């Protein structure tokens, strides 16, 4: 083999996996931009195939992983009082982080007013191609909020497992795990069984990670190629507000949150979960990223007891990036269509964004479906609603990548804070990236 090839391969093998994924994202962006101008069906199909192989592989382990993680987590906490304390703290922390995201999104959108003068542009972009998704989204959100919550209680858990409905699955597994914890030692065979399931699924996650760099490359390239760069220019104000909001949440709110509630350094935590953050960006799915989020946290200092409980629940309930987007998007449309934003309406938007985001699933595009919950009460005409919605769909994927990055990072932020509070963190390991074990 030629010397330069040997050097390249040696370099490639020597670089840590998170750099491979990072290069995958960067290369994906460039290839995507190139493909936008030079469409090539064969390459597009290959990229979609490679990306889907990666996503399906990680989705394959999500349900066994979530079930086993929660069962082991809750039965290892054991005593009810401690469980209640963890649970309350978790809900409180997730609530704080999502509320702050909504406040930031709302403040930026009200201040910068990205929607002013955008009505004409929105109407022009009501592509017929997205009408079907819009109709489905509206239909799904037609029931009231109570019905939405009713749907979280699985009347047939097996049905929820088969359909992959995460919230009802989590509800069932939580109840089952608490019951197991209460029955004492007879739970041993089942808990041991799930300990084996957990270990095996983590092993599979390690293997899948060999495929992360090409997978994330392919996903990013096909996402970028499908919307191209020109659309960015015309909606730069809306996108700008979103990106600034995301950046504030990531680089100001999370570090402050960690400083306020724990001794964890945000820089250390971000390097510990770097692979999960990049896969979140590439896949736009916090559910699919969950196996990796758990692997990163557990292998780099956050105890299994905390990770296995807080992270699966976060990936199901905590969507602060989504809440931020929903707030900005709804205010954007209101401004575009001249809806008067009274203080009451603004509060309503904020509260509904917290609810709508937490009822969404950790899959691509889910946040844009649940946004209908907020839009329905805005007093927009059906035509405006459809046009507005269709507009949001046109730049859906790129915003999804960013909001999923936040959704996954904030799960880890909350897990780290709770682990710190409960003395369940190994700081020698977390603060020493050189000692991090590779995922895979
Ligand atoms: N894709 C996001 C996630 O998986 C949810 C959303 O669509 O906002 O976290």
């Amino acid at each position: 083999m030629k010397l330069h090839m040997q050097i390249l391969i040696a370099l490639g093998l020597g670089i840590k996996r998170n750099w491979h994924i990072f290069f995958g994202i960067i290369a994906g962006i460039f290839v995507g931009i190139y493909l936008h101008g030079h469409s090539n069906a064969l390459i597009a199909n290959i990229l979609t195939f490679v990306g889907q192989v990666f996503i399906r592989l990680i989705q394959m382990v999500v349900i066994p992983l979530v079930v086993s993680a929660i069962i082991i987590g809750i039965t290892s906490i054991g005593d009810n009082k401690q469980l209640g304390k963890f649970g309350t703290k978790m809900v409180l922390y997730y609530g704080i982080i999502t509320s702050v995201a909504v406040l930031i999104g709302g403040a930026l959108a009200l201040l910068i007013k990205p929607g002013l003068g955008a009505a004409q542009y929105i109407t022009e972009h009501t592509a017929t191609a997205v009408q079907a998704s819009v109709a489905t989204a509206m239909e799904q959100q037609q029931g009231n909020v109570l019905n939405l919550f009713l749907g979280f209680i699985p009347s047939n858990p097996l049905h929820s497992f088969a359909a992959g409905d995460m919230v009802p699955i989590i509800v069932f597994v939580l109840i089952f795990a608490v019951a197991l914890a209460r029955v004492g030692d007879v739970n041993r065979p089942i808990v041991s069984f799930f300990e084996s399931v957990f270990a095996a699924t983590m092993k599979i996650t390690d293997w899948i990670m060999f495929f992360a760099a090409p997978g994330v490359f392919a996903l990013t390239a096909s996402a970028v190629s499908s919307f191209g760069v020109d659309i960015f220019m015309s909606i730069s104000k809306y996108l700008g507000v979103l990106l600034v909001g995301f950046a504030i949440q990531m680089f100001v709110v999370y570090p402050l949150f960690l400083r306020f509630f724990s001794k964890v350094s945000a820089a250390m935590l971000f390097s510990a979960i770097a692979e999960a953050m990049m896969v979140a960006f590439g896949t736009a799915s916090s559910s699919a990223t969950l196996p990796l989020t758990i692997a990163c946290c557990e292998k780099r200092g956050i105890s299994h007891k905390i990770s296995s409980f807080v992270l699966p629940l976060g990936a199901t309930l905590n969507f602060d990036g989504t809440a931020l987007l929903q707030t900005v998007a709804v205010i954007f449309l209101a401004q575009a269509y001249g809806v008067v934003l009274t203080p009451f309406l603004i509060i309503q938007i904020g509260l509904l964004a917290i609810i709508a985001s937490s009822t969404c699933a950790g899959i691509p595009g889910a946040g844009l479906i649940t946004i209908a919950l907020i839009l329905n009460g805005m007093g927009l005409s059906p035509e405006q609603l459809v046009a507005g919605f269709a507009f949001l769909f046109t730049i859906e994927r790129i915003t999804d990548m960013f909001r999923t990055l936040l959704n996954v990072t904030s799960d880890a932020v909350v897990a780290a804070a709770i682990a710190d509070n409960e003395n369940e963190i190994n700081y020698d390991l977390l603060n020493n990236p050189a000692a991090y074990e590779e995922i895979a």
Side-chain angles (χ1 to χ4, degrees):
M1 198 186 298
K2 291 234 167 70
L3 185 63
H4 69 269
M5 276 309 284
Q6 285 179 12
I7 294 174
L8 269 180
I9 291 175
L11 269 177
L13 292 176
I15 300 173
K16 290 212 168 190
R17 177 141 302 114
N18 49 17
W19 283 105
H20 290 186
I21 309 175
F22 180 70
F23 291 136
I25 292 180
I26 301 293
I29 293 174
F30 282 110
V31 171
I33 293 174
Y34 175 80
L35 284 177
H36 183 67
H38 308 76
S39 65
N40 179 320
L42 179 67
I43 298 186
N45 286 341
I46 294 176
L47 288 175
T48 311
F49 175 78
V50 174
Q52 285 307 312
V53 168
F54 176 58
I55 290 218
R56 292 177 79 108
L57 280 172
I58 35 182
Q59 277 175 336
M60 181 177 82
V61 290
V62 169
I63 291 185
L65 188 74
V66 166
V67 174
S68 54
I70 293 184
I71 288 179
I72 304 170
I74 289 188
T75 49
S76 72
I77 298 170
D79 114 56
N80 267 348
K81 257 214 197 122
Q82 210 186 7
L83 189 63
K85 207 173 98 200
F86 275 6
T88 317
K89 192 170 261 185
M90 185 187 68
V91 172
L92 184 76
Y93 282 177
Y94 279 144
I96 293 175
I97 239 169
T98 305
S99 311
V100 174
V102 166
L103 285 178
I104 290 174
L108 285 173
L110 291 172
L111 221 70
I112 303 177
K113 303 190 173 59
L116 285 191
Q120 162 84 21
Y121 185 76
I122 295 174
T123 318
E124 277 167 16
H125 276 79
T126 309
T128 39
V130 292
Q131 299 272 340
S133 346
V134 175
T136 325
M138 298 305 242
E139 211 171 282
Q140 283 188 3
Q141 297 300 316
Q142 220 125 68
N144 59 31
V145 179
L146 285 182
N147 281 343
L148 206 74
F149 284 105
L150 205 55
F152 294 164
I153 305 172
S155 53
N156 177 355
L158 288 184
H159 182 270
S160 307
F161 278 106
D165 290 339
M166 286 311 280
V167 181
I169 292 178
I170 298 262
V171 169
F172 172 73
V173 177
L174 275 177
I175 296 173
F176 186 71
V178 172
L180 272 180
R182 295 295 301 269
V183 295
D185 273 353
V186 281
N187 70 16
R188 275 321 299 163
I190 292 230
V191 176
S192 311
F193 169 80
F194 281 109
E195 279 165 356
S196 310
V197 172
F198 183 79
T201 41
M202 288 307 266
K203 183 77 337 265
I204 301 175
T205 307
D206 275 357
W207 292 335
I208 297 170
M209 282 308 290
F210 281 110
F211 205 62
V216 167
F217 161 75
L219 288 166
T220 312
S222 41
V224 173
S225 71
S226 65
F227 46 69
V229 199
D230 44 347
I231 188 142
F232 284 142
M233 304 304 161
S234 29
I235 45 142
S236 52
K237 217 167 168 191
Y238 170 66
L239 208 59
V241 169
L242 275 178
L243 292 182
V244 170
F246 289 154
I248 295 178
Q249 182 79 354
M250 177 73 99
F251 299 111
V252 180
V253 176
Y254 297 159
L256 283 180
F257 181 93
L258 285 170
R259 176 163 293 189
F260 202 76
F261 292 109
S262 74
K263 300 182 292 298
V264 176
S265 132
M268 290 301 141
L269 182 68
F270 290 175
S271 58
I273 59 161
E275 288 97 330
M277 287 165 85
M278 288 184 278
V279 168
F281 186 81
T283 58
S285 167
S286 23
S287 270
T289 313
L290 180 62
L292 199 56
T293 324
I294 295 182
C296 289
C297 286
E298 288 197 357
K299 289 188 178 183
R300 293 162 186 176
I302 298 176
S303 81
H304 175 74
K305 196 165 156 182
I306 301 294
S307 312
S308 60
F309 179 53
V310 178
L311 293 172
L313 288 173
T316 324
L317 296 170
N318 172 50
F319 295 94
D320 60 329
T322 304
L324 197 153
L325 169 124
Q326 292 181 329
T327 313
V328 174
V330 172
I331 295 180
F332 169 82
L333 291 181
Q335 289 166 342
Y337 287 123
V339 175
V340 183
L341 285 163
T342 58
F344 179 78
L345 192 55
I346 295 172
I347 293 172
Q348 176 183 319
I349 294 174
L351 289 178
L352 283 178
I354 296 176
I355 298 178
S357 66
S358 60
T359 61
C360 103
I363 53 172
L368 216 58
I369 308 276
T370 59
I371 205 173
L373 192 78
I374 320 173
L375 281 176
N376 276 339
M378 290 291 298
L380 296 173
S381 73
E383 295 76 34
Q384 289 174 333
L385 227 44
V386 170
F389 228 124
F391 170 77
L392 296 179
F393 268 95
T394 55
I395 46 157
E396 160 56 10
R397 181 68 188 201
I398 180 76
T399 63
D400 203 0
M401 293 161 101
F402 283 103
R403 62 188 196 246
T404 308
L405 171 63
L406 292 198
N407 293 340
V408 166
T409 309
S410 64
D411 294 345
V413 165
V414 168
I418 297 182
D420 168 276
N421 302 169
E422 303 297 327
N423 265 333
E424 291 283 339
I425 218 166
N426 176 351
Y427 276 106
D428 292 337
L429 181 55
L430 181 73
N431 292 339
N432 183 10
Y436 287 172
E437 201 182 316
E438 281 267 7
I439 313 293

